[in-house]
Amino acid sequence: MALQDILFSQGFGTRRVCFGLIQMGHVAVGEPGTVCLDPLERFDPQGLTFRVQGQAWAYHERAYLMLHKPTGYECSHKPGAHPGVYTLLPGPLRERGGGASAGVQAVGRLDQDTTGLLLLSDDGKFIHRMTSPRHHVPKVYEVTLKHPGEPAMVERLLAGVVLEDDPKPVKAAACTLLAPTHLQLTLTEGKYHQVKRMVAAAGNRVEGLHRSRIGRIDLPADLQPGQWRWLTAEEVASLIAKA
């Protein structure tokens, strides 16, 4: 694959921009790094590492990421009153692929005041598999309640509560009261404001909401709010297997 095309696929600009970056000596390939001045020189992209203007990068045919979403960010490319989560990512991840749908997309959404595990990808099939209701991918939420919870509230959430816009009861896949105001809730659907609406229908109120797990993937304790990392091949495989 031509080096120019490798850079373009990874989000380092248009093909013309990538051509110029290489010709001007801003791209070094491999470790510790050998400057390449030929945009058309071919490399095996699998496992390839390179630097663009000093920025280290590794080739990924598809992007699969996890982000620890902080509070105060919207999962939108055109946010309103709050910044978008995409501003927390480096430029190449926002531009890779080019075109109108360039960059990675959030796999589902979290409200601006909700924190925790957010997956992002540029693989449309993966996004569909993870968000389609028929695949029932479990998502675990840590809920801070306004009022102390009771066993009856847990029973209602497990049995199913009726939301205002849907006569069909919505059930929690699992529900455990870990402390008087700490509820751990597992859902396999993704309705609008679902956790908040379910808890309200069960007679309480959500004061804080944090997603700690998707499928078999836990939010790592060492991934701080606002930080991101690539998913490993094993993590991607486990998500697809469950979807």
Side-chain angles (χ1 to χ4, degrees), residues 3 6 29-30 43-50 57-60:
L3 185 58
I6 291 174
V29 179
F43 296 88
D44 180 357
Q46 299 304 321
L48 185 69
T49 59
F50 53 91
W57 206 256
Y59 176 86
H60 289 82

Side-chain angles (χ1 to χ4, degrees), residues 88-150:
L88 299 170
L89 303 173
L93 289 175
R94 302 196 301 269
E95 301 297 332
R96 59 183 284 133
S101 59
V104 297
Q105 310 293 324
V107 181
R109 295 192 173 194
L110 293 176
D111 298 337
Q112 63 85 17
D113 58 348
T114 300
T115 63
L117 180 58
L118 181 68
L119 302 181
L120 303 103
S121 179
D122 62 353
D123 182 344
K125 290 183 179 180
F126 173 79
I127 294 173
H128 176 73
R129 288 174 67 87
M130 294 300 299
T131 56
S132 173
R134 70 187 184 89
H135 290 299
H136 302 293
V137 178
K139 301 174 181 66
V140 180
Y141 296 88
E142 312 300 327
V143 185
T144 301
L145 301 171
K146 181 176 183 179
H147 309 291
E150 299 177 351

Side-chain angles (χ1 to χ4, degrees), residues 2-242:
L3 185 58
Q4 173 191 13
D5 293 332
I6 291 174
L7 264 61
F8 171 73
S9 74
Q10 300 302 288
F12 284 93
T14 64
R15 284 186 170 84
R16 179 174 293 182
V17 168
C18 294
F19 190 97
L21 286 169
I22 298 166
Q23 277 200 327
M24 289 186 290
H26 294 316
V27 180
V29 179
E31 293 294 342
T34 301
V35 173
C36 178
L37 299 174
D38 181 3
L40 301 181
E41 185 170 346
R42 302 185 71 82
F43 296 88
D44 180 357
Q46 299 304 321
L48 185 69
T49 59
F50 53 91
R51 291 181 179 273
V52 179
Q53 295 179 311
Q55 180 180 4
W57 206 256
Y59 176 86
H60 289 82
E61 182 176 1
R62 289 291 187 182
Y64 304 97
L65 320 171
M66 68 163 62
L67 170 74
H68 186 164
K69 180 191 172 297
T71 188
Y73 283 80
E74 296 180 26
C75 295
S76 172
H77 284 286
K78 296 180 179 179
H82 303 274
V85 292
Y86 302 99
T87 62
L88 299 170
L89 303 173
L93 289 175
R94 302 196 301 269
E95 301 297 332
R96 59 183 284 133
S101 59
V104 297
Q105 310 293 324
V107 181
R109 295 192 173 194
L110 293 176
D111 298 337
Q112 63 85 17
D113 58 348
T114 300
T115 63
L117 180 58
L118 181 68
L119 302 181
L120 303 103
S121 179
D122 62 353
D123 182 344
K125 290 183 179 180
F126 173 79
I127 294 173
H128 176 73
R129 288 174 67 87
M130 294 300 299
T131 56
S132 173
R134 70 187 184 89
H135 290 299
H136 302 293
V137 178
K139 301 174 181 66
V140 180
Y141 296 88
E142 312 300 327
V143 185
T144 301
L145 301 171
K146 181 176 183 179
H147 309 291
E150 299 177 351
M153 181 195 69
V154 174
E155 292 173 4
R156 285 196 292 271
L157 290 169
L158 290 171
V161 293
V162 176
L163 306 182
E164 291 182 357
D165 61 348
D166 190 350
K168 183 180 178 180
V170 180
K171 300 179 182 180
C175 185
T176 305
L177 195 62
L178 300 178
T181 57
H182 180 186
L183 181 74
Q184 187 175 79
L185 189 67
T186 301
L187 302 179
T188 58
E189 301 176 79
K191 296 179 182 291
Y192 181 70
H193 288 168
Q194 185 172 351
V195 174
K196 296 175 182 178
R197 295 163 67 204
M198 287 181 67
V199 170
N204 211 313
R205 180 175 173 179
V206 173
E207 289 285 278
L209 187 58
H210 177 85
R211 186 159 67 193
S212 58
R213 185 179 178 93
I214 299 175
R216 298 178 181 177
I217 308 300
D218 290 303
L219 180 66
D222 60 352
L223 193 69
Q224 299 302 308
Q227 292 183 338
W228 69 277
R229 72 162 173 82
W230 297 95
L231 292 179
T232 66
E234 291 76 18
E235 287 171 334
V236 175
S238 75
L239 288 167
I240 293 175
K242 294 298 289 183

